[in-house]
Amino acid sequence: MSSISMWRKATAFSGFGATLSHHLCRRHSTATATAVNSVLLRSLKEHYLEVSKMIPPPKVNPPSPFTVVKGALDGAGPVLKRSYGDEQISISVMRMDNIIPGAGAAAGGEDDDDDDINQLFLHVEVSKPGQKESLLFLCGLYPDALGIHSVSIRPMADASDYAAPRSSAYTGPLFEDLDEGMKDAFHSYIEERGVGDSLFPFLRAWLYVKDHRNLMRWFKTVGSFVNETKSV
């Protein structure tokens, strides 16, 4: 056999070996990925079923004259709204822990658990017809008290996103730097508009339902993504 023929056979065998090795590696990789996906999907399903069995808190209605904003459970905007004379009052809510990590544990002590929502963070917007700006209060709400963290004026276009960085425009002094008389006057201002600890039972129950719904949706969405396969 000539050297050329031997080289051709060796090359062909080498190519076949590489193809076989690639095929086996791909089969191994696919099998491993399938096994990993299966474990993850099983875990997601178990947690989904576990969360679905959680009993929601008793239904609580918001204090009159506040009403629930339609679609609030599925959005990130205001939860409650009301009219006060010619003013519109809207309230958004978050867990305090989402703003200040560990705030609940710091205030509640060792007896707190993750499901006990005892501190809420409120964004209260007071707007008037024809005005391009609104008056915004960032507040901490507790079962028996409400504290104001800041008061600012912002353009209406920015009012819905209280987590966004503040603009460079001056929005006012630090609330803690105001004298006690002005602090008390601001507290009276929002209390007159119905913003106080009477909102706590409803907002806590509403936030529990929203968190529960978001968690269920997360398990389902992630599971659908992992389980989706496309032919190559």
Side-chain angles (χ1 to χ4, degrees), residues 22-93:
H22 175 74
H23 180 67
L24 291 175
C25 288
R26 184 173 181 180
R27 284 181 57 188
H28 175 73
S29 177
T30 301
T32 301
T34 300
V36 170
N37 288 359
S38 179
V39 171
L40 178 56
L41 288 170
R42 183 166 61 251
S43 179
L44 288 167
K45 182 177 181 180
E46 290 173 353
H47 283 81
Y48 178 89
L49 293 175
E50 181 180 350
V51 172
S52 68
K53 296 175 183 177
M54 294 172 65
I55 301 175
K59 184 176 181 180
V60 181
N61 293 321
S64 177
F66 281 100
T67 59
V68 180
V69 176
K70 185 177 180 180
L73 275 174
D74 297 313
V79 176
L80 296 175
K81 64 179 181 178
R82 66 159 295 186
S83 297
Y84 181 84
D86 65 342
E87 300 174 354
Q88 291 295 317
I89 317 297
S90 65
I91 298 176
S92 301
V93 62

Side-chain angles (χ1 to χ4, degrees), residues 147-163:
I148 299 175
H149 293 300
S150 69
V151 182
S152 62
I153 287 284
R154 292 192 187 177
M156 291 288 291
D158 297 338
S160 62
D161 189 1
Y162 53 84

Side-chain angles (χ1 to χ4, degrees), residues 102-125:
E110 296 180 356
D111 294 334
D112 278 345
D113 58 47
D114 291 338
D115 293 328
D116 183 21
I117 306 174
N118 59 11
Q119 295 187 78
L120 304 178
F121 182 78
L122 299 189
H123 169 258
V124 182
E125 175 190 353

